[in-house]
Amino acid sequence: MTDPATLADQLRTGERRLHELDDADAETAAEARRQFLAAETGADLDAIGDFTFDAGQATDANVENFVGSAQVPMGVAGPVAIDGGAADGEYFLPMATTEGALVASVNRGLSAIDDAGGATARVTDSGMTRAPVFRVAGVAEAETVVEWVDDHAEQLREAAESTTSHGELLAVEPYVVGDNVYLRFAYDTKDAMGMNMATIATREAADLVEAETPAELVAISGNLCNDKKPAAINAVEGRGRTVTADVTLSRELVEETLNTTPEAMVEGNTRKNLVGSAKAGSLGFNAHAANTVAAMFLATGQDEAQVVEGANAITTMDAREDGLYASISLASLEVGTVGGGTKLATQSAGLELLGLAGGGDPAGSNADALAEVIAVGALAGELSLIAAFCSRHLASAHEDLGR
Ligand SMILES: CC(C)(COP(=O)([O-])OP(=O)([O-])OC[C@H]1O[C@@H](n2cnc3c(N)ncnc32)[C@H](O)[C@@H]1OP(=O)([O-])[O-])[C@@H](O)C(=O)NCCC(=O)NCCSC(=O)C[C@@](C)(O)CC(=O)[O-]
Ligand SMILES: NC(=O)C1=CN([C@@H]2O[C@H](COP(=O)(O)OP(=O)(O)OC[C@H]3O[C@@H](n4cnc5c(N)ncnc54)[C@H](OP(=O)(O)O)[C@@H]3O)[C@@H](O)[C@H]2O)C=CC1
């Protein structure tokens, strides 16, 4: 019997464990888990069971011990015109968040940007990294390994690329620390964020390194990649897409839409985002890039833990004769329009709203465009929030919209 009540009973008696409901379809298994958990904890789990995506699809690639969904409200900001290397035209930005005032803020920034004729954005570097760590006897052996890697780039490329029809190995950067050798592999992963792709490809290359040199693999990720932790290497070398967006707003626009002046914006940016961040030892020299990155990651099926790297951004502002120049450069924005969570119904709809669902033509262009759109959204958020500080509106905005 695979009805939810019977399965929930079997969970209660210990006959089955939470992950041993494979003979039931995904929805039935989820309902059984909810019944079991509700009885065990007294929690009302009905809301978690109310979802619209395909449970079978989610349990195939996205989640284990599936019980339902955590829903996040989605708003939209824009439209905004973007002149990008890949993005081109007017975009509405889907943003999933629980922070009142955030969408309003990005919307205000986008409205100023759009009135100025739109933003310019470019992906200036691209490469998803995976850096295995190898054990060697000492520095002499490390030198042997590094020399072998330098001399066999082509063989490493063939090994890595044998596992993927889309990925391309771009570079292998060696680092030696005592009896540790780290090889930082960088891949063009086209429209995939690429963490699975790069890991699978690197395993193949690491096998070759182990077979041909004295190095012994300790971990396929040695943390020089660096995934999902704040790390200077991502800020300097980049990871995923490195992307910059900029705009020049006339003095009138700054005064009318942002209720402040270019000079006040520049001072606010310098004292807060640059000096304040430096004093704090922050890796992010921005106000809240993480807000837009997180909201758009949730709305479009990105890996939300990679907001850590996505927040690695520098905001600059300059008062010029023609008004306020503002830019944001995100060093390590890891995004994809295929793979991961991008196929789930609501996330796929978020990508469709942007016209960026699935693989691009040429491959990689959709993910590049997504990176550019997120960068413009983050720039809008910076403009609006810095303006709110200058006009002393932050507290009142959140009183009105956020509680
Ligand atoms: C809230 C505003 C925009 C009001 O700003 P305002 O200028 O008083 O609003 P307005 O009524 O004059 O409208 C101006 C434009 O804002 C937009 N707008 C205005 N209201 C809405 C709304 N309800 N829904 C959608 N869009 C809205 C809209 O584009 C509108 O133009 P219109 O379309 O009317 O021509 C402004 O005060 C603001 O942006 N404040 C900053 C809020 C913010 O950025 N919060 C982010 C979170 S802060 C945080 O999480 C991080 C932090 C602060 O801790 C980081 C740090 O330490 O720096
Ligand atoms: N393994 C790990 O260490 C980690 C995994 N993750 C998870 O990895 C997932 C993302 O990995 P990712 O590799 O992006 O996704 P997937 O594992 O979902 O793989 C995507 C695959 O889509 C295929 N593909 C089809 N069309 C395209 C196209 N236009 N451009 C690129 N690839 C295309 C490629 O196949 P082919 O290669 O055959 O060409 C590619 O490998 C997320 O779920 C994330 O949470 C996150 C962090 C670490």
Side-chain angles (χ1 to χ4, degrees):
M1 288 290 284
T2 55
D3 65 282
T6 307
L7 292 172
D9 260 347
Q10 293 173 344
L11 289 171
R12 261 191 298 275
T13 59
E15 200 177 316
R16 293 182 193 241
R17 289 182 292 173
L18 282 170
H19 60 278
E20 291 175 337
L21 303 178
D22 286 350
D23 47 337
D25 64 76
E27 296 221 18
T28 305
E31 195 182 332
R33 290 189 191 98
R34 286 197 304 276
Q35 286 186 11
F36 163 72
L37 292 169
E40 290 290 306
T41 66
D44 178 351
L45 303 180
D46 287 353
I48 292 176
D50 199 7
F51 56 87
T52 57
F53 55 75
D54 178 342
Q57 189 185 31
T59 52
D60 269 353
N62 298 109
V63 72
E64 300 76 36
N65 280 351
F66 176 65
V67 291
S69 84
Q71 297 180 9
V72 182
M74 193 187 300
V76 68
V80 65
I82 301 180
D83 165 16
D88 181 23
E90 291 265 327
Y91 294 87
F92 287 99
L93 278 56
M95 300 181 69
T97 183
T98 55
E99 184 174 16
L102 176 60
V103 176
S105 178
V106 172
N107 202 33
R108 177 168 76 155
L110 289 181
S111 144
I113 291 171
D114 203 48
D115 286 349
T120 307
R122 295 287 187 277
V123 170
T124 55
D125 198 9
S126 190
M128 178 46 77
T129 56
R130 188 43 107 196
V133 54
F134 298 87
R135 179 191 313 115
V136 290
V139 68
E141 214 170 87
E143 183 188 38
T144 309
V145 174
V146 169
E147 279 174 4
W148 185 90
V149 167
D150 285 345
D151 292 345
H152 294 83
E154 189 52 30
Q155 262 177 278
L156 284 170
R157 195 181 61 74
E158 276 170 22
E161 292 181 8
S162 69
T163 64
T164 169
S165 57
H166 287 84
E168 291 171 18
L169 179 61
L170 301 172
V172 186
E173 190 68 37
Y175 295 81
V176 174
V177 184
D179 59 358
N180 304 285
V181 175
Y182 302 84
L183 300 177
R184 195 172 193 255
F185 288 77
Y187 298 88
D188 179 350
T189 57
K190 307 296 177 190
D191 291 303
M193 178 273 280
M195 210 47 290
N196 279 340
M197 183 201 280
T199 304
I200 294 164
T202 302
R203 181 182 58 194
E204 205 66 21
D207 284 350
L208 183 63
V209 173
E210 268 197 311
E212 299 294 328
T213 77
E216 291 172 288
L217 182 69
V218 177
I220 193 70
S221 165
N223 270 15
L224 258 166
C225 316
N226 174 295
D227 196 40
K228 302 183 177 174
K229 275 85 61 179
I233 194 164
N234 295 335
V236 179
E237 297 291 328
R239 187 167 199 260
R241 263 80 180 173
T242 302
V243 56
T244 293
D246 68 6
V247 69
T248 301
L249 304 179
S250 68
R251 176 171 296 276
E252 295 69 39
L253 257 178
V254 175
E255 288 172 356
E256 279 162 26
T257 311
L258 301 177
N259 310 316
T260 183
T261 63
E263 291 75 17
M265 292 285 285
V266 171
E267 182 181 12
N269 187 63
T270 304
R271 291 185 189 272
K272 173 188 168 61
N273 282 347
L274 304 185
V275 181
S277 299
K279 176 67 178 166
S282 176
L283 280 181
F285 284 66
N286 63 81
H288 68 145
N291 263 335
T292 302
V293 171
M296 291 197 66
F297 268 30
L298 287 175
T300 61
Q302 310 305 312
D303 186 328
E304 61 275 7
Q306 291 178 328
V307 173
V308 174
E309 296 93 294
N312 209 333
I314 300 178
T315 299
T316 72
M317 292 192 192
D318 189 18
R320 297 183 177 173
E321 245 177 50
D322 51 351
L324 174 72
Y325 171 83
S327 80
I328 189 164
S329 296
L330 298 107
S332 42
L333 188 64
E334 295 143 350
V335 290
T337 58
V338 302
T342 60
K343 266 202 188 145
L344 292 169
T346 59
Q347 287 81 349
S348 167
L351 286 168
E352 274 170 27
L353 183 68
L354 290 163
L356 298 175
D361 182 15
S365 57
N366 271 2
D368 279 348
L370 178 60
E372 290 171 348
V373 175
I374 292 175
V376 173
L379 176 62
E382 293 296 280
L383 286 166
S384 190
L385 180 55
I386 294 296
F389 287 120
C390 295
S391 59
R392 306 193 179 188
H393 279 165
L394 182 68
S396 58
H398 282 256
E399 264 169 358
D400 290 347
L401 294 170
R403 61 190 314 199

